[in-house]
């Protein structure tokens, strides 16, 4: 990065921090600190929802996934619009009417305190760990570019986010997220424009798209019903629906976003617009990855995109073997240029026979290149046991660093950092809210109340019971806000500590989704039981939730079933196991 | 706050004035829900077409 890139990035970070502090300066009551006074318009709710879901992981890992695996990942989001509709009809009016601070408050009234505590605890574990991954992703960018220690980078990003989130609460988070989404869209447009400009002069955008299609990168829909295939139309529609329903309906980091809406209408519009915009946005990000793939058909890519192990192996006896593999890889890349040229010419002439011939040749060469790559990965993995064999997280990053001009690199990196900050802030904000509302407010020891009799001297005569109550309430509000700030700090440091371990995981976006799927099904099952099974009581659902979580973890460890299905399995297990005791009770009653 | 939680979706809930607000653009919420489903169907069909055409 050059000076101009640094200036843009630092100016952006400083602006966001100051803007957040300024926006949240009046958060003095629990409602204004935790829910922005329930005063936000639909577009702020929308941007807040989008920024919460789209983390830096989205921008680092998703293009890399498209580069390696094509556009199939888009199917993951097919359940989202359906979930938005269901939530708009059911959950949004309910939560608004009950005026809850967290989704878990509702469960205590419907079942009992135990179910509320269990569900809130599952959320804290799952989201606390996920927040660590959200912080780790941008730190990875800077660690790779500058070679700095990843722990210190986690600490720097985490501290900036914690600063304005702890200070201004939800209002600061939601308003900064609006700015962050605008920066993200700008960064995406810049990256896409640069990719198109960097393609060879004779290759148009349509040519690039057709080339990607011929090489299998545009295969977006898989209609097969295969439980072991990670992304299919049905896993996206059914499993994805349950995942998104659970994420938006029961995950406090999203529930808190639309609870800030001024009315049911404002919250609903935010969710529904998200349903319309999310899939096109993900298609655009995946298409960036496809364009990077096309770009590297003309420009030689590195043998392995993760520069860390590659740099390390150059100082070992295996350096010569690795260099030899690099030469083979480069030779194959040069060899396939003739086939690419032939394919483009055949496409222009609309000669289907020639197209098929060149495409087959190209696929074969790409297969040979992949074989060389696998040998190189084996070599690296032998030297670094436990190394992640996937390098998808580094593909987009490598492209940005090497090919974006001065200034634009700073802007695109600012966009990625913006995404990281927005989602991390929302997560820390939600973790702090749940800790405060679902644990601190319920289990704290009540401080002694101020009464008129307690007041001494002149105040004794002036303070009537109503005023004393107001004083007590104001003091309680201040304590709640103070505790929430402390909880934000705690979760910020917890996330930074967990982020230190994140580099050992595989593809980051998949890691987050898998982690979510381990818990979301159970949490969703609890909520759906609450909504639609009035005969089920607290004890039954509590036991069912524990059993369902065991089933999901067992599936994860031993079954090989794709993770999207865990949401359905967990949800159905909770509902089914909760229902069984009431069924047997009903039979006994009839007898 | 806990007093407000006494209502459940299965209890005697009061009509919510905020819920009666009109949505943007359309007169009824149902039109928005339909739009969401149609947009999803259109995206899936478009992607299926892209998958077939550019193969």
């Amino acid at each position: 990065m050059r000076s101009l890139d640094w200036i843009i990035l630092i100016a952006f970070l400083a602006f966001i921090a100051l803007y957040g502090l300024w926006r949240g300066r009046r958060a003095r009551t629990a409602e204004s600190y935790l829910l922005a006074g329930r005063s936000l318009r639909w577009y702020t709710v929308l941007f807040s929802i989008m920024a919460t879901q789209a983390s830096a992981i989205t921008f680092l890992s998703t293009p890399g996934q498209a580069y390696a695996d094509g556009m199939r990942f888009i199917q993951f989001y097919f359940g989202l619009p359906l979930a938005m509709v269901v939530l708009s009809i059911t959950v949004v009016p309910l939560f608004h009417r009950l005026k809850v601070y967290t989704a878990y408050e509702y469960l205590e009234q419907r079942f009992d305190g135990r179910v509320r505590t269990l569900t809130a605890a599952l959320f804290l574990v799952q989201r606390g760990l996920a927040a660590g991954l959200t912080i780790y992703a941008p730190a990875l960018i800077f660690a790779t570019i500058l070679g700095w220690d990843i722990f210190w980078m986690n600490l720097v990003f985490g501290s900036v986010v914690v600063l304005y989130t702890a200070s201004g609460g939800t209002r600061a988070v939601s308003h900064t997220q609006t700015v962050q989404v605008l920066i993200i869209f700008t960064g995406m447009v810049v990256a896409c424009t640069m990719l198109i400009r960097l393609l060879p002069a004779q290759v148009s955008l349509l040519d690039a798209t057709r080339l990607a299609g011929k090489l299998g990168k545009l295969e977006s829909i898989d209609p097969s019903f295969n439980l072991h295939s990670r992304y299919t139309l049905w896993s996206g529609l059914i499993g994805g629906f349950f995942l998104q329903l659970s994420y938006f309906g029961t995950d406090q980091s999203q529930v808190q976003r639309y609870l800030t809406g001024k009315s049911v209408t404002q919250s609903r519009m935010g969710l529904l617009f998200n349903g319309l915009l999310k899939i096109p946005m993900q298609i655009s990000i995946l298409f960036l990855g496809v364009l990077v793939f096309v770009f590297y058909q003309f420009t030689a890519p590195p043998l392995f995109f993760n520069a860390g192990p590659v740099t390390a192996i150059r100082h070992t006896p295996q350096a010569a073997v690795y260099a030899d593999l690099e030469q083979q890889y480069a030779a194959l890349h040069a060899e396939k240029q003739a086939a690419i040229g032939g394919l483009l010419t055949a496409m222009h002439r609309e000669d289907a026979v020639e197209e098929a011939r060149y495409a087959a040749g190209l696929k074969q060469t790409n297969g040979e290149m992949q074989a060389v790559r696998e040998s190189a990965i084996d070599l690296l993995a032998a030297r670094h046991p436990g190394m992640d064999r996937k390098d998808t997280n580094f593909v987009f990053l490598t492209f940005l660093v090497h090919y974006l001009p001065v200034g634009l690199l700073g802007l695109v990196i600012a966009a990625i950092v913006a995404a990281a900050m927005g989602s991390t802030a929302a997560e820390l904000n939600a973790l702090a809210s749940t800790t405060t509302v679902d644990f601190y407010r319920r289990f704290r020891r009540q401080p002694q109340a101020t009464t008129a009799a307690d007041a001494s001297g002149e105040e004794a005569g002036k303070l009537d019971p109503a005023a004393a109550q107001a004083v007590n309430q104001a003091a309680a509000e201040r304590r709640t806000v103070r505790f929430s700030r402390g909880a934000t700090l705690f979760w910020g440091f917890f996330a930074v500590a967990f982020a230190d371990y994140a580099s050992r995981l595989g593809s980051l976006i998949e890691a987050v989704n898998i982690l979510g799927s381990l818990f979301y099904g159970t949490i969703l099952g609890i909520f759906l039981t609450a909504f639609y099974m009035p005969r089920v009581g607290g004890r039954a659902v509590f036991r069912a939730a524990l059993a369902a979580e065991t089933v999901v973890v067992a599936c994860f460890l031993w079954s090989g079933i794709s993770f999207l299905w865990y949401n359905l399995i967990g949800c159905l297990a909770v509902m089914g196991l909760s229902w069984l005791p009431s069924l047997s009770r009903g039979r006994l009653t009839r007898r | 706050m806990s007093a407000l939680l006494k209502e459940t979706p299965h209890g005697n809930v009061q009509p919510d004035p905020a819920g009666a607000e009109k949505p943007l653009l359309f007169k009824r919420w149902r039109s928005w829900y339909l739009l969401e489903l149609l947009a999803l169907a259109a995206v899936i069909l478009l992607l299926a077409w892209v998958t077939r055409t550019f193969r």
Side-chain angles (χ1 to χ4, degrees):
Chain A
M1 292 227 306
R2 306 275 180 82
S3 307
L4 183 60
D5 296 320
W6 278 112
I7 290 168
I8 290 171
L9 183 64
I10 292 169
F12 166 74
L13 282 174
F15 171 74
I16 286 292
L18 292 173
Y19 184 64
L21 290 172
W22 178 68
R23 274 294 192 174
R25 69 193 182 284
R26 286 183 193 144
R28 293 197 185 97
T29 65
E31 192 169 60
S32 94
Y33 185 82
L34 299 174
L35 291 177
R38 300 182 203 266
S39 62
L40 302 185
R41 308 280 298 175
W42 68 268
Y43 41 84
T44 312
V45 174
L46 164 71
F47 289 138
S48 190
I49 287 170
M50 293 186 85
T52 300
Q53 194 177 20
S55 64
I57 294 169
T58 311
F59 292 93
L60 285 176
S61 203
T62 309
Q65 279 219 320
Y67 178 92
D69 201 28
M71 302 266 294
R72 294 188 320 128
F73 180 59
I74 192 61
Q75 296 170 112
F76 173 81
Y77 293 96
F78 285 170
L80 190 141
L82 304 175
M84 296 300 101
V85 170
V86 172
L87 292 172
S88 294
I89 294 170
T90 55
V91 169
V92 173
L94 176 70
F95 285 171
H96 264 273
R97 189 168 57 238
L98 300 181
K99 291 206 175 298
V100 291
Y101 281 72
T102 72
Y104 319 112
E105 276 184 86
Y106 163 70
L107 295 176
E108 181 162 9
Q109 281 299 310
R110 173 63 184 83
F111 297 121
D112 53 39
R114 231 169 26 153
V115 177
R116 175 180 176 183
T117 306
L118 172 69
T119 318
L122 283 176
F123 166 74
L124 289 181
V125 171
Q126 181 266 327
R127 190 46 62 189
L129 299 179
L133 292 179
T134 317
I135 291 180
Y136 164 70
L140 176 70
I141 299 176
F142 287 88
T144 309
I145 293 171
L146 302 167
W148 286 1
D149 187 89
I150 214 158
F151 172 77
W152 289 107
M153 297 314 299
N154 287 337
L155 200 62
V156 168
F157 279 113
S159 301
V160 173
V161 173
V162 166
L163 175 71
Y164 72 83
T165 308
S167 165
T170 304
R171 192 184 297 275
V173 171
S174 295
H175 284 287
T176 49
Q177 282 178 320
T178 304
V179 178
Q180 285 155 352
V181 166
L182 296 177
I183 297 278
I184 289 167
F185 284 144
T186 310
M188 277 173 56
V189 170
V190 166
C192 189
T193 311
M194 281 311 301
L195 267 164
I196 294 167
R197 284 174 64 98
L198 285 168
L199 290 173
Q202 75 276 16
V203 180
S204 67
L205 180 60
L206 182 63
D207 291 335
T209 310
R210 292 175 74 181
L211 187 59
K214 288 288 170 205
L215 296 174
K217 298 295 174 188
L218 293 183
E219 296 199 1
S220 323
I221 306 286
D222 176 5
S224 67
F225 196 89
N226 180 359
L227 285 181
H228 298 284
S229 176
R230 188 159 278 184
Y231 305 114
T232 66
L233 177 63
W234 305 111
S235 74
L237 278 173
I238 303 170
F241 168 69
F242 280 92
L243 174 62
Q244 306 292 354
L245 203 58
S246 189
Y247 175 52
F248 285 95
T250 70
D251 187 313
Q252 180 62 17
S253 65
Q254 281 295 0
V255 171
Q256 195 164 8
R257 301 308 113 214
Y258 56 78
L259 284 182
T260 59
K262 201 174 180 179
S263 63
V264 171
T265 297
Q266 301 300 323
S267 300
R268 267 183 181 160
M269 291 314 307
L271 279 173
L272 291 172
F273 267 105
N274 183 49
L276 287 180
L277 295 179
K278 183 66 186 177
I279 295 179
M281 180 179 155
Q282 287 302 128
I283 290 175
S284 310
I285 299 170
L286 282 166
F287 193 66
L288 279 181
V290 169
L291 286 179
V292 172
F293 172 81
V294 175
F295 170 79
Y296 278 123
Q297 296 306 300
F298 298 98
T299 306
L303 184 51
F304 193 61
F305 280 94
N306 183 355
V310 175
T311 310
I313 207 165
R314 293 199 196 282
H315 304 289
T316 66
Q318 284 87 23
V321 185
Y322 192 81
D324 184 47
L325 288 169
E326 280 186 316
Q327 278 186 352
Q328 286 180 42
Y329 197 67
L332 284 166
H333 183 269
E335 191 184 308
K336 78 175 178 184
Q337 294 309 305
I340 293 174
L343 180 59
L344 285 170
T345 310
M347 285 193 305
H348 289 153
R349 285 190 197 146
E350 306 213 342
D351 184 342
V353 178
E354 284 292 286
E355 258 183 53
R357 190 169 71 83
Y358 280 117
L362 204 48
K363 275 183 185 169
Q364 192 186 337
T365 316
N366 279 346
E368 288 168 25
M369 287 178 77
Q370 186 58 30
V372 175
R373 222 173 90 84
E374 288 297 327
S375 305
I377 294 170
D378 288 341
L379 194 66
L380 293 171
R383 187 75 200 172
H384 303 94
M387 179 198 87
D388 183 11
R389 293 178 65 89
K390 288 184 185 174
D391 58 353
T392 48
N393 299 325
F394 297 85
V395 172
F396 191 51
L397 171 67
T398 306
F399 165 78
L400 292 179
V401 172
H402 287 103
Y403 297 102
L404 250 61
V406 178
L408 292 185
L409 176 62
L411 185 67
V412 176
I413 287 186
I416 295 170
V417 172
M421 292 171 86
S423 49
T424 308
E427 286 172 329
L428 298 183
N429 188 223
L431 287 163
S433 303
T434 305
T435 311
T436 305
V437 176
D438 295 301
F439 291 94
Y440 168 74
R441 274 187 160 184
R442 291 167 65 208
F443 301 122
R444 74 176 169 189
R445 278 197 303 178
Q446 294 295 328
Q448 201 148 18
T450 303
T451 63
D454 293 334
S456 60
E458 285 180 29
E459 286 180 17
K462 292 176 187 171
L463 212 58
D464 59 28
Q469 197 183 358
V471 168
N472 287 332
Q473 201 170 346
E477 292 283 325
R478 277 198 302 276
R479 274 195 302 275
T480 303
V481 172
R482 215 166 34 233
F483 182 86
S484 300
R485 288 201 170 110
T488 309
L489 281 172
F490 166 78
W491 283 111
F493 286 114
F494 176 85
V496 167
F498 182 70
D500 209 33
Y501 294 97
S503 55
R504 297 175 197 175
L505 298 167
S507 171
L508 289 172
I509 195 153
E510 284 190 356
V512 171
N513 290 331
I514 291 170
L515 193 65
S517 296
L518 287 178
F519 297 96
Y520 279 150
T522 305
I523 297 177
L524 179 64
I526 295 171
F527 273 90
L528 289 185
T529 307
F531 293 149
Y532 299 113
M533 297 167 73
R535 288 171 62 189
V536 174
R539 183 185 289 185
V541 83
F542 183 78
R543 288 176 179 175
L546 291 179
E549 195 51 51
T550 312
V551 170
V552 171
V553 172
C555 286
F556 172 64
L557 292 176
W558 297 299
S559 77
I561 294 173
S562 168
F563 74 87
L564 273 175
W565 293 104
Y566 301 160
N567 301 287
L568 183 63
I569 292 167
C571 178
L572 292 181
V574 172
M575 295 178 81
L577 294 172
S578 312
W579 179 62
L580 284 179
S582 66
L583 186 73
S584 58
R585 245 195 339 267
R587 278 184 185 157
L588 285 172
T589 312
R590 276 200 296 277
R591 276 181 203 169
Chain B
M1 184 166 50
S2 59
L4 288 162
L5 281 167
K6 291 266 184 323
E7 293 178 349
T8 71
H10 311 290
N12 294 323
V13 289
Q14 298 298 311
D16 176 25
E21 281 182 60
K22 289 273 193 294
L24 292 180
L25 301 173
F26 299 114
K27 285 183 181 171
R28 305 173 69 177
W29 283 107
R30 194 184 300 169
S31 309
W32 264 104
Y33 304 146
L34 199 61
L35 177 68
E36 292 276 323
L37 302 182
L38 288 175
L40 174 64
V43 166
I44 292 174
L45 288 174
L46 177 71
L47 290 174
W49 175 81
V50 167
T51 303
R52 283 173 64 95
T53 308
F54 289 93
R55 185 173 284 167

